[in-house]
Every structure is written in structure tokens, then in C-alpha cells.
Amino acid sequence: MADLQWYPGHMTKARRMMEENISLVDLVIELTDARAPLSSRNPDIDTLSRGKARMLLLNKADLADPAQTERFCAYFEKQGIQCVPLDARNRKMNDQIRRRVQEACREKLERNKRRGILNRPLRAMVVGIPNVGKSTFINSFAGKASAKTGNKPGVTRGKQWIRLNKELELLDTPGILWPKFDDPEIGIRLALIMAIREEILNEQELAVYLLGFLKDYYPGVLGERYSTAEKPFDTDTSDQELLTQIAQNKQLIAKGQTPDLTRACRMLLEDFRTGRLGRITLEQPELDQTEDAVNEET
Ligand code: G4P
């Protein structure tokens, strides 16, 4: 794989930095992409943040299927992780997140109180794989009003804390986790949501995977987007024919008046990524166990 960040030395360094930073905080705020919440997490985070309060933000929820987002939240909450769906570009969730931070850290706050430690702000750091919206979230959540607190005794030199209010401080730089994709399908989902650079997979492969997925799980969306009054979109055909229909119906014509399948692939991917196909989630929570457990309880 071409990308520098995949070299083992680089990964070890990133991991060491993460461990160092995590040891300084009470709470780990992890971001994932709500369109593929499992593929866009690095499972190592569970070990790295052992003993810390946890919060998971299912970001880009504005692009994801709301019903699946709800199921994913239930799935993560069941694992003891506070979970909040989010559009990080929008600040209106900030109050709710602050409340959930307090809830996630309740044990720590109670322990502090018993020991007579009052007025010590909670400390949090934001982590996640590239492109899930970490910087966007820090900017929205911290806002303009927040002050950087600078170095403090007991804090690794150079660390900057953003004081959000008297209850909470945030490490100003997010922790970057590398995605893990031993399973090629995870790699495809990450490329579809642009969490990894797509050059490692070709556009045609991605588009064909997406077509197959949409036919199975969101059969209506292709017709809605690519039918024309004269030509309804027919999903009951080969991938090649589906791409041809997209090209014809959207007037993507190559030299020699042939349908431009390369541009059809690109359009399909772009339409998915920008939400023009509607709100779509590429995977489902591993529900069998969770739902069985819920059924057993009731
Ligand atoms: P990172 O720090 O985790 O690497 O991610 P970053 O905040 O840079 O966000 C990556 C891209 O995702 C940005 O778009 C950002 O605007 C977008 N984004 C972040 N949160 C959300 C969200 O909740 N919903 C949606 N729809 N998009 C979100 P970009 O195209 O790379 O940059 P720009 O167009 O914002 O300049």
C-alpha cells in the first residue's frame, strides 16, 4: 500500500503518542462515520482507552440512514459506551454532548467528590480515523469563546488544552487512529466514505460494489435518481447494463457517442458521498447477539 501512514514505524509512533495522550485524560471521545460505524473504527481503541470513560459520536449522521443510526446507537450503548449521532458542522448538539460527557464521567466525578476534589475540570481527547470529522467537531464544540489554557504543571510539554467551560477541557489536537482492513470489504466501505484514498481501489470496482449493495438494501434509490420520464431505471439487469443506463439517462456520452461508463461510475460514487442518493448506511450492527440479548431480557 502506497500511503506512508501504513509503514509499521509510523504506526508504532502514532500508537505511542495516542497512549501518552490518553493517559492524560478522563474521557475519550471517539468519532466514527455513521455510514459505516464498524468499518470506520479501529478496534484497538478499546484497549487503548481501557479504564477511561468513553463516548462515541456517530458523525455525518446527516448522510446516514436514520433507522440504522438508531440501531447502531442501541448497539454501542449496550457495550457501555455513550453514543450520540451527530452532524459535526452544526453546533446545536453541543449542549446535549456536554450533558452526555457529564454522564459518561459520572463515576469519576463521584470519586472526585468523595475525595474532596471539587472544581477540577474533566479532560477529554478526540480520536478517530482520518476524515471522520475530528477537526470539524473540535472547532464546532470548542467554538470561538473557548480559551487555550497552555502548558500546566503535570502536563506533557507542548500540550494545549482548550477550556470549554469550568467543567471540561479538550486536548486541542485529535488522536489519529489508522483504519484496519484485513477484510477487503471494510476497505471498500472506507473508500466509499472517503476515509481512505480511493487510488488503492479503482472507481469501477467501488461503483459496482455500491450498485450491488444498493440493489440489495436500498432498491428504490437508483430508480429515484436515475430514471427519466422516457426511461425508467431497470435494476433487474447486469452491472454493465446498470452503468450504461446511468450514463444514458444522465447524458454521459463518450467519444463515438457511446455511453461513458467511467463518468457513470464517478457520478454514482459522488451522488452517494454527497447524499444525493439519499441517506444510506453501508453496514448493520452485529445484531444477532444484541437483539437476542434484548429479546431474552423482555
Ligand atoms: P478529520 O479531522 O477527522 O480528518 O476530518 P475533518 O474535520 O477534516 O472533516 C473531513 C470532511 O468531512 C470535511 O469535508 C468536513 O467538512 C466533513 N464533515 C465533518 N463532519 C461532517 C458531518 O457531520 N456531516 C457532513 N456531511 N460532513 C462532515 P471536506 O470536504 O474535506 O472539507 P470542507 O468541504 O469542509 O472544506
Side-chain angles (χ1 to χ4, degrees), residues 99-114:
R99 274 198 304 278
R100 300 290 292 269
V101 164
Q102 299 292 312
E103 262 174 62
C105 296
R106 197 164 44 210
E107 270 179 36
K108 167 86 182 182
L109 291 167
E110 280 167 7
R111 207 175 330 129
N112 280 353
K113 212 163 149 190
R114 280 199 302 276

Side-chain angles (χ1 to χ4, degrees), residues 30-43 45 56-61 64-76 79 81 83-85 128-129 132 186 189-190 193 213 218 280-286:
E30 181 191 355
L31 267 78
T32 56
D33 190 309
R35 292 167 297 171
L38 300 174
S39 297
S40 62
R41 290 187 82 200
N42 180 321
I45 190 67
L56 186 65
L57 303 177
L58 295 185
N59 195 37
K60 309 199 184 183
D65 179 342
Q68 290 301 339
T69 302
E70 206 176 298
R71 292 171 84 197
F72 268 114
C73 269
Y75 167 80
F76 288 118
Q79 296 171 25
I81 303 173
C83 183
V84 183
I129 69 165
V132 286
I186 295 181
R189 287 189 206 114
L190 291 172
I193 63 171
F213 175 82
Y218 297 90
I280 289 164
T281 300
L282 295 173
E283 59 193 1
Q284 310 205 334
E286 291 140 10

Side-chain angles (χ1 to χ4, degrees), residues 152-277:
K152 283 184 179 175
V155 176
T156 312
R157 195 195 297 270
K159 294 276 179 296
Q160 293 279 307
W161 296 90
I162 308 169
R163 174 165 276 219
L164 294 166
N165 52 36
K166 62 182 191 322
E167 287 155 0
L168 183 62
E169 288 181 1
L170 199 66
L171 194 60
D172 76 338
T173 40
I176 301 170
L177 291 162
W178 51 98
K180 260 197 171 167
F181 44 98
D182 312 335
D183 173 358
E185 225 172 307
I186 295 181
I188 292 176
R189 287 189 206 114
L190 291 172
L192 284 170
I193 63 171
M194 300 269 269
I196 56 173
R197 286 197 263 152
E198 66 190 85
E199 296 96 82
I200 63 165
L201 290 156
N202 77 43
E203 277 182 336
Q204 179 132 4
E205 257 179 274
L206 285 180
V208 166
Y209 176 92
L210 183 60
L211 273 176
F213 175 82
L214 293 173
K215 276 202 297 185
D216 287 347
Y217 291 93
Y218 297 90
V221 302
L222 292 166
E224 261 167 53
R225 173 84 182 122
Y226 302 117
S227 285
T228 60
E230 305 78 49
K231 263 198 165 179
F233 197 83
D234 173 19
T235 50
D236 198 15
T237 181
S238 67
D239 297 333
Q240 180 84 5
E241 179 51 33
L242 290 173
L243 290 169
T244 305
Q245 287 186 66
I246 294 177
Q248 283 170 339
N249 292 7
K250 290 293 171 188
Q251 279 140 31
L252 308 173
I253 307 301
K255 275 198 199 118
Q257 294 305 302
T258 53
D260 191 334
L261 302 191
T262 308
R263 277 167 69 208
C265 289
R266 208 162 293 153
M267 178 181 267
L268 179 70
L269 295 174
E270 184 69 12
D271 285 350
F272 164 72
R273 288 167 178 156
T274 53
R276 273 194 290 268
L277 287 178

